[in-house]
Amino acid sequence: MDFWAIFTILINQPITNLLVACYQLFNFIHIPFALGFAIIALTFLIRLVLYPFTAAQIKTSKKMQDMAPHISKLKEKHKSDKKKQQEEMMKLYAEFGVNPAAGCLPIIIQLPVIWGLYHVLSTAVAVNSLDKLKEINNLMYFEGLRLTRLWEATFFGIPLAQSPASLMKESPLILLVPVLTGVLQLIFSKMMAPEKPYEAKADDFQATFAKQSLFIFPIMIAVFSFQLPFGLSLYWNAFTLFGILQQYFLVGLGGLKQWQAFAQKRKWIK
C-alpha cells in the first residue's frame, strides 16, 4: 500500500464522510446553500478535534514570547561563550516550563489534517460530473451517506468552484473576498504577536522575520484567495475566524492590544 492510499484511508476518507454528513443534514432540513454551510461546519468540527493540539501550541507560543526578551539578554551577556549561553537558556526554559521540542509536536499533528481538509474541499467544490460524484461515494462508510445527485456548488449565488479572479468581470464586489481573507489573517497574525514588543538586536533573525511576516503573510494569503476557488476561501476564512476566537479565549488579544491602544488614543474606539 503506497503513501497516498494510507493518507486517503486515515485522513481524506474521514474528512470526506464528515463533509457529506454535514451536507446531507443541512440538505435534509432544507437549509439553502447546504454545501457552503457544510464547509463551514466541517471547518468548525476540525478545529474542535484539533483543539487540544492548537491550545498547547498557543500556550507554548505565549511562553516563548514572554521568554524572548530574556533570551535576547542572555545572548548579549554570553555572546562570547556559546556553551554558557546554552546552559543559561536551558535554565530559562525550565523556569518558564517550556520544552522547546514539544512545541513542534502540535504543528506536526495538525499539518496532515489541514492538508487533507484542503484536498477534500478542493475535490468537493469541483464535483460537476457523475464520475466525480462516484469518486466521493466510493469513500462513504455507509450507504445512507451516498449522494444521489450532484450538489449545488454555490454559496449565496457565488460558485464555490470558481475563483474571485474569474468572477471579477461579472461582479467586481467579489474582490471583497480576498480583502476579507487578508484582513482576518492580519488580525490573527497580530493576535499571535507579543503584547509588549521588545527592541530586538540587528542580528535577532527570529524577531526580524516575525515583524516582516506580520504583513507579508496576510498579503500572500489574500493573493492566493483571489486565485483559488471561492470554496477554499470560505474554508480558510472560517478556519481563521475560529482561530481568532480560540486565540482570544486562551490568551486574550495578544499583540492586537497595541492597535487597540492606538485606536483608543485616536478616539476611534472607546
Side-chain angles (χ1 to χ4, degrees):
M1 187 177 291
D2 59 17
F3 169 78
W4 183 248
I6 295 172
F7 187 83
T8 298
I9 292 172
L10 296 180
I11 305 294
N12 283 358
Q13 191 170 6
I15 292 176
T16 303
N17 275 264
L18 275 175
L19 174 65
V20 175
C22 290
Y23 168 78
Q24 296 283 37
L25 174 62
F26 293 144
N27 199 44
F28 178 75
I29 57 180
H30 303 293
I31 290 181
F33 314 114
L35 181 58
F37 283 112
I39 290 173
I40 295 173
L42 175 66
T43 305
F44 171 74
L45 290 173
I46 294 295
R47 271 288 187 185
L48 204 60
V49 170
L50 294 177
Y51 178 81
F53 307 106
T54 51
Q57 179 189 346
I58 289 170
K59 290 175 182 177
T60 299
S61 178
K62 179 67 169 62
K63 289 180 181 179
M64 292 293 287
Q65 289 173 2
D66 294 339
M67 287 174 57
H70 302 283
I71 292 175
S72 184
K73 290 177 182 178
L74 278 179
K75 287 181 178 180
E76 181 65 22
K77 183 178 180 181
H78 303 289
K79 59 183 178 182
S80 58
D81 188 347
K82 295 296 181 182
K83 184 177 179 181
K84 182 66 175 177
Q85 186 182 113
Q86 290 296 323
E87 289 176 355
E88 292 299 318
M89 284 181 66
M90 293 310 294
K91 289 180 182 178
L92 192 63
Y93 281 126
E95 181 184 337
F96 277 81
V98 175
N99 183 346
C104 300
L105 183 60
I107 299 175
I108 293 172
I109 292 173
Q110 291 177 70
L111 282 177
V113 178
I114 295 172
W115 181 27
L117 180 58
Y118 174 85
H119 180 266
V120 168
L121 294 180
S122 298
T123 303
V125 298
V127 173
N128 54 10
S129 68
L130 293 178
D131 287 338
K132 291 184 178 180
L133 184 70
K134 187 177 179 180
E135 290 179 18
I136 295 285
N137 282 336
N138 286 340
L139 295 175
M140 293 299 99
Y141 292 134
F142 309 107
E143 186 68 29
L145 281 179
R146 289 176 177 268
L147 299 166
T148 56
R149 57 186 174 86
L150 295 176
W151 46 32
E152 182 188 356
T154 63
F155 191 64
F156 290 96
I158 304 174
L160 294 169
Q162 293 188 40
S163 68
S166 67
L167 295 169
M168 275 292 291
K169 289 183 179 180
E170 300 174 20
S171 177
L173 287 177
I174 197 68
L175 187 62
L176 293 175
V177 172
V179 170
L180 177 62
T181 303
V183 169
L184 286 176
Q185 188 60 54
L186 178 61
I187 292 171
F188 188 39
S189 298
K190 187 60 178 174
M191 287 181 74
M192 292 191 292
E195 292 181 21
K196 298 178 180 178
Y198 69 98
E199 293 297 324
K201 301 296 179 181
D203 62 345
D204 193 334
F205 172 78
Q206 184 177 357
T208 304
F209 177 77
K211 192 173 183 179
Q212 292 177 348
S213 63
L214 175 64
F215 294 98
I216 293 174
F217 187 62
I219 291 172
M220 288 174 57
I221 293 297
V223 172
F224 292 152
S225 176
F226 183 67
Q227 297 172 334
L228 291 173
F230 171 67
L232 296 180
S233 296
L234 183 63
Y235 138 68
W236 188 264
N237 287 341
F239 200 81
T240 305
L241 186 57
F242 291 135
I244 288 171
L245 293 174
Q246 188 178 41
Q247 186 84 12
Y248 175 75
F249 286 118
L250 285 172
V251 295
L253 291 174
L256 206 59
K257 284 185 178 180
Q258 298 165 34
W259 291 356
Q260 182 187 43
F262 178 80
Q264 288 173 337
K265 188 177 180 181
R266 295 275 180 162
K267 296 183 179 180
W268 294 341
I269 61 172
K270 292 183 180 180

